[in-house]
Amino acid sequence: MSNTVGQVIKCRAAVAWEAGKPLVTEEVEVAPPQAGEVRLKILFTSLCHTDVYFWEAKGQTPLFPRIFGHEAGGIVESVGEGVTHLKPGDQALPVFTGECGDCPHCKSEESNMCDLLRINTDRGVMLNDNQSRFSIKGQPVHHFVGTSTFSEYTVVHAGCVAKINPDAPLDKVCILSCGICTGFGATVNVAKPKPGSSVAIFGLGAVGLAAAEGARISGASRIIGVDLVSSRFELAKNFGVTDFINPKDHDKPVQEVIAEMTNGGVDRAVECTGSVQAMISAFECVHDGWGVAVLVGVPNKDDAFKTHPLNFLTERTLKGTFYGNYKPRTDLPNVVEKYMKGELELEKFITHTIPFSEINKAFDYMLKGESIRCIIKMEE
């Protein structure tokens, strides 16, 4: 890769030209990294529901043309001035949020919400100069959450790149850069269920299944999956789910159903849907005295959370989390090591693998509810 350092690289990228329309494989020009930036050669990427949500552009500011993608693994091709924690040839995971290392959040052991590099879905340019590093025949193409991994090469702020074990298989660990860590960390880092405890998981998509996996690894004896799609239960058993509730099958609120099943409520609940009603149910289904509910899903901007204050006064706790409380550069390498030691299974999250030329199939699989994670192999 050394002969490309400092040069514009021409490569393939899957470009979204307009909302909801199939991505088009184009030849794009990728500029070299500027100060504090890294250019990565992406080897594997995967599709997350967040990509689909912004590609559909329902309810947000549409920004097109754009290169989506934010779950990926690759190799550092070159680094900009001042980048010291990465060098060409390093294996790395780009992440949609970052760790500058200098702000109060980065210096706090309790937070991963970096002031500088926190996720920004409206930004389509690099922080350094408010310009894009992608262009097609001179026309700029917008970035997405600072990663844009649906391109063979991408430029990312160095604070959003985690250096990982050079022996880690990128076609597996690439899924850790978003959804799996979000759900898994919500359980193990925030809810912290004790061995033998009961946990309710609201939403059994990829994030919810990862939350269930966290409960299983933590030693929970009862894991109750709540979802509106009953066909998800069979798959959820592979992630430790022991009971399943479809709220549509009951004529009372699901929190009451759970309270009856568990003699007063579960010890922990993790909400992974973004539905404000599910959030309320998750909080109200935990046991008084010690119950903890953790919110993961992102609600609509106009939603309001309503519950009686007595639910707090009777010693229930409500928490929120962002990216599973993992600091990308500090903590992500350790999660990769959990996988390498056999403590965390990733293969069961991967339902499909396709070549880059067929990337639109990944959208079809997700829209039909047929995939948890679809791996896209960049080199064919």
Side-chain angles (χ1 to χ4, degrees):
M1 294 187 218
S2 57
N3 60 345
T4 58
V5 172
Q7 307 293 314
V8 171
I9 291 178
K10 291 184 177 181
C11 69
R12 293 180 307 158
V15 179
W17 287 98
E18 53 184 307
K21 294 294 173 65
L23 307 189
V24 180
T25 302
E26 305 275 11
E27 182 181 80
V28 298
E29 295 189 340
V30 186
Q34 296 195 10
E37 298 174 355
V38 177
R39 187 160 61 184
L40 295 170
K41 180 178 184 180
I42 300 297
L43 297 180
F44 296 93
T45 186
S46 91
L47 181 67
C48 169
H49 192 265
T50 305
D51 296 306
V52 176
Y53 180 74
F54 283 91
W55 165 74
E56 290 178 322
K58 293 176 180 173
Q60 340 85 9
T61 309
L63 209 54
F64 296 96
R66 200 170 204 183
I67 298 172
F68 287 102
H70 64 282
E71 280 190 356
I75 306 291
V76 175
E77 177 269 339
S78 59
V79 300
E81 180 186 338
V83 177
T84 56
H85 75 284
L86 295 158
K87 64 182 185 304
D90 284 345
Q91 274 211 150
L93 302 181
V95 186
F96 64 90
T97 185
E99 185 180 351
C100 72
D102 297 321
C103 72
H105 283 279
C106 286
K107 289 179 176 177
S108 165
E109 291 182 3
E110 296 180 38
S111 176
N112 65 342
M113 298 189 69
C114 175
D115 282 330
L116 180 67
L117 301 172
R118 192 179 303 184
I119 186 172
N120 184 331
T121 56
D122 292 331
R123 186 190 299 129
V125 293
M126 297 300 288
L127 278 171
N128 203 0
D129 59 358
N130 289 319
Q131 301 291 317
S132 174
R133 300 289 173 264
F134 298 109
S135 61
I136 297 175
K137 297 175 183 172
Q139 178 188 359
V141 179
H142 295 291
H143 294 250
F144 177 63
V145 295
T147 51
S148 292
T149 61
F150 293 167
S151 174
E152 291 175 314
Y153 286 87
T154 189
V155 177
V156 182
H157 192 289
C160 299
V161 181
K163 178 181 175 180
I164 63 165
N165 187 327
D167 296 324
L170 289 175
D171 60 332
K172 307 295 189 296
V173 299
C174 66
I175 65 173
L176 290 172
S177 54
C178 180
I180 307 309
C181 275
T182 296
F184 187 77
T187 303
V188 300
N189 295 335
V190 188
K192 298 179 180 175
K194 295 173 182 174
S197 61
S198 57
V199 181
I201 308 292
F202 286 74
L204 296 174
V207 175
L209 292 174
E213 182 73 357
R216 185 187 70 80
I217 287 174
S218 299
S221 61
R222 194 172 188 187
I223 303 172
I224 301 169
V226 182
D227 201 290
L228 296 171
V229 182
S230 297
S231 58
R232 287 182 163 182
F233 182 42
E234 202 56 40
L235 179 66
K237 290 177 182 176
N238 297 332
F239 299 83
V241 174
T242 57
D243 302 76
F244 180 79
I245 301 172
N246 186 332
K248 292 190 291 190
D249 295 340
H250 300 272
D251 56 7
K252 62 177 76 169
V254 69
Q255 53 267 47
E256 292 181 21
V257 177
I258 291 172
E260 289 175 8
M261 289 171 63
T262 55
N263 194 26
V266 287
D267 302 308
R268 302 288 185 266
V270 185
E271 182 283 323
C272 305
T273 71
S275 155
V276 73
Q277 190 52 56
M279 295 178 183
I280 295 166
S281 297
F283 175 55
E284 293 183 356
C285 83
V286 299
H287 206 290
D288 59 3
W290 60 79
V292 178
V294 178
L295 306 185
V296 180
V298 180
N300 293 324
K301 62 179 184 353
D302 297 327
D303 282 341
F305 183 99
K306 294 178 182 176
T307 191
H308 198 283
L310 206 57
N311 289 321
F312 292 99
L313 296 174
T314 47
E315 299 181 3
R316 293 175 181 88
T317 301
L318 180 65
K319 294 184 173 185
T321 178
F322 171 69
Y323 191 51
N325 274 43
Y326 287 116
K327 292 178 184 281
R329 281 171 48 188
T330 301
D331 297 330
L332 200 44
N334 299 328
V335 184
V336 171
E337 291 310 307
K338 274 186 181 293
Y339 168 75
M340 297 297 282
K341 292 173 185 171
E343 297 170 11
L344 174 63
E345 296 177 43
L346 296 178
E347 286 82 358
K348 61 188 178 184
F349 289 96
I350 299 167
T351 49
H352 301 79
T353 300
I354 59 173
F356 185 45
S357 59
E358 298 177 12
I359 189 169
N360 286 302
K361 281 187 178 177
F363 285 76
D364 294 338
Y365 293 142
M366 184 160 283
L367 290 168
K368 290 175 183 172
E370 295 174 358
S371 69
I372 305 175
R373 278 297 180 263
C374 178
I375 302 296
I376 300 152
K377 185 179 180 183
M378 303 301 283
E379 293 182 332
E380 299 176 30

